[in-house]
Amino acid sequence: MPRHAESNACSACARSKRKCGRQIPSCIRCVDRGKSCVYPPSRGRAASSSRPLLSDALRDSVPRVDDELLAGVAGNTSSPTANLILADDLMLDLAFPLMDSDFAAPSPLFQTASAPATRADWFLAPETWRISNRVDISTAIPIGKAVMKKYVVLLQSWFERWVTTGSNPFIHSCLYSAKSPACVQVAYTTLASYIHRTPANTDTVLQIVEDRSTDLLRENGAILDRVGAEELARGRGARFYQVIGLFDGDIRARHVAEGHMAVRDSWAGKLLHSAAKALSNTHDVATHLVGCLPIPSTYSQQQWYLWILSESIRRTWLVAVSLSPVFTALQKGWSPCPGSVMYTNRSGLWNAASATEWEKQCLGRNVEFLQRFQCASLFDNAEPPDIDEFGTAMLDMTFNGELLEKWRDRSGRL
């Protein structure tokens, strides 16, 4: 059963006489140290398939972000459903307190509105992978409960879009065109069954989500020491299951998802660290494309594929590290800031259909490759249509709502 161990510490913590967090499949102490986490046998532990099913009355009493809410916000932010979310103006201090970081914030690579991406390694340079917790206090305000709820619904709509179209703002359409890892296929079919669930089969579908989530953690453990499509796929699969578990509203699903949060957050950090180490090495960086994307036939195509892989890792990390703070803030009223890495904001690059089109976009204008906390510069250097969907979502989760509204009004967008 994927929950905290009942009473005993794991063997490693017991030997060290240290407090064990008792997370399943690996406690956070073993995760941090890259050790194998083994628990002593527990008597009377029930199989996960024998869990009692919640009654409809109990399930209905739990707040949830439901399908109608998802459809309303995903399709039209001015819909009546969206207005219900935005009407809640309870403010939660997501920016309190800021977490410390071992890295200094890098300066933006491109400072002016007219500066194109002229460096061949502009998205692979070591400084672009550094995590920053710096924020411009003049534009930072506590993030409201309504904004966070809208963000959760937006993520749900992106997951549904992946099932229906094969891509979304953090899963590139080319990424699995050469090979679809097994964990991606499992996550895809599981997510599709969840999206199309009915009241009659909801408990069965949630049990499948729980079992697949537990299997993913058990099969891969706590160590992700490489970078590539497989590792990225595992991290994304974990996020699909986490969003379902934390925000479905089912008590059992939420309990299981909370027990897995520490390991999943550790995965996100290890993936980013491995990417920073591997993709910054210009001598063998192309080897990480093997089995991930089609074999590049030109240097431009190789650079495009490397950008797709690196940008996908950045966006997946940003989504991953946002989930626990948002969930905690909705529960407790505050949460630590998870920090940020650099990512591409300019529209047109993510949806480029070819290496030629992508290269033209890079050379023709500023790609706005920035830290999330540095994106206040976009209010002076860009118009709302210049920023892609992912960048817009990050802006909404970072800056003063009035400032965003004025920026959008300036170009006629409400």
Side-chain angles (χ1 to χ4, degrees):
M1 188 177 291
R3 56 177 66 180
H4 281 60
E6 292 174 0
S7 59
N8 296 327
C10 72
S11 300
C13 290
R15 285 195 301 269
S16 302
K17 297 182 180 181
R18 300 296 296 273
K19 183 177 179 181
C20 180
R22 298 180 293 121
Q23 293 88 357
I24 300 295
S26 299
C27 74
I28 192 60
R29 187 170 180 271
C30 287
V31 169
D32 289 340
R33 287 160 178 75
K35 293 183 177 180
S36 175
C37 190
V38 179
Y39 290 98
S42 176
R43 296 179 180 179
R45 177 169 294 187
S48 62
S49 59
S50 65
R51 72 177 178 90
L53 301 180
L54 296 175
S55 67
D56 290 339
L58 182 58
R59 183 175 295 104
D60 290 341
S61 69
V62 182
R64 62 178 290 160
V65 182
D66 56 23
D67 292 337
E68 285 81 6
L69 206 85
L70 171 62
V73 175
N76 180 8
T77 55
S78 63
S79 68
T81 307
N83 289 337
L84 288 176
I85 305 173
L86 298 176
D88 189 347
D89 59 356
L90 176 64
M91 302 307 291
L92 301 173
D93 192 357
L94 189 62
F96 168 80
L98 292 181
M99 295 174 62
D100 292 332
S101 173
D102 294 331
F103 301 105
S107 299
L109 294 186
F110 315 107
Q111 298 283 356
T112 67
S114 60
T118 55
R119 286 172 51 179
D121 65 342
W122 62 269
F123 56 89
L124 297 178
E127 64 268 19
T128 68
W129 296 99
R130 292 174 182 164
I131 299 173
S132 170
N133 292 107
R134 295 184 181 181
V135 59
D136 181 358
I137 302 300
S138 65
T139 55
I141 63 165
I143 295 175
K145 183 178 179 181
V147 174
M148 287 186 281
K149 283 186 174 182
K150 185 179 177 183
Y151 176 70
V152 171
V153 173
L154 180 64
L155 290 183
Q156 290 176 319
S157 73
W158 286 355
F159 292 166
E160 183 169 358
R161 193 188 309 177
W162 177 58
V163 168
T164 57
T165 70
S167 65
N168 66 28
F170 71 97
I171 301 179
H172 198 278
S173 58
C174 293
L175 190 59
Y176 302 119
S177 57
K179 177 185 177 183
S180 180
C183 58
V184 169
Q185 298 178 30
V186 171
Y188 183 91
T189 54
T190 304
L191 185 57
S193 68
Y194 176 79
I195 290 171
H196 299 291
R197 69 196 182 283
T198 66
N201 70 5
T202 292
D203 285 311
T204 300
V205 170
L206 289 177
Q207 182 64 57
I208 292 171
V209 172
E210 176 182 332
D211 291 345
R212 297 293 75 76
S213 175
T214 304
D215 288 346
L216 182 66
L217 294 178
R218 183 185 296 118
E219 291 167 3
N220 295 282
I223 301 175
L224 291 176
D225 55 1
R226 296 181 300 166
V227 58
E230 292 278 354
E231 290 69 35
L232 185 56
R234 293 186 193 112
R236 283 175 170 160
R239 297 310 144 190
F240 298 147
Y241 303 137
Q242 186 176 21
V243 168
I244 292 173
L246 293 179
F247 301 107
D248 170 83
D250 182 272
I251 295 175
R252 165 70 185 183
R254 181 174 294 178
H255 166 72
V256 171
E258 286 187 77
H260 289 171
M261 280 200 302
V263 175
R264 285 170 172 158
D265 290 347
S266 175
W267 276 18
K270 289 178 183 294
L271 176 63
L272 188 72
H273 178 77
S274 297
K277 183 178 179 180
L279 296 181
S280 296
N281 185 344
T282 56
H283 294 291
D284 11 291
V285 67
T287 61
H288 299 287
L289 296 174
V290 176
C292 171
L293 290 151
I295 298 174
S297 57
T298 65
Y299 175 77
S300 294
Q301 198 169 61
Q302 175 182 294
Q303 291 300 101
W304 180 42
Y305 288 166
L306 285 171
W307 178 83
I308 289 174
L309 178 59
S310 63
E311 185 73 13
S312 297
I313 291 171
R314 296 172 191 278
R315 294 186 178 204
T316 297
W317 183 86
L318 285 163
V319 169
V321 300
S322 69
L323 290 176
S324 294
V326 166
F327 179 75
T328 302
L330 289 172
Q331 271 193 328
K332 301 179 179 179
W334 70 277
S335 178
C337 171
S340 177
V341 294
M342 300 185 79
Y343 60 96
T344 309
N345 284 272
R346 178 69 69 174
S347 61
L349 278 76
W350 186 256
N351 294 323
S354 67
T356 301
E357 181 181 345
W358 174 80
E359 189 174 41
K360 182 179 179 181
Q361 293 279 352
C362 293
L363 295 176
R365 53 183 181 166
N366 188 344
V367 298
E368 304 295 357
F369 190 53
L370 302 166
Q371 288 276 359
R372 182 163 62 94
F373 304 128
Q374 296 170 330
C375 286
S377 63
L378 298 178
F379 301 139
D380 297 321
N381 299 334
E383 297 297 328
D386 297 332
I387 308 306
D388 72 6
E389 189 176 358
F390 187 87
T392 299
M394 293 297 104
L395 287 175
D396 288 337
M397 284 291 290
T398 307
F399 295 105
N400 185 308
E402 291 185 5
L403 185 63
L404 288 166
E405 185 177 354
K406 290 179 180 178
W407 178 58
R408 286 164 178 154
D409 285 345
R410 193 177 67 200
S411 62
R413 272 178 61 181
L414 299 178

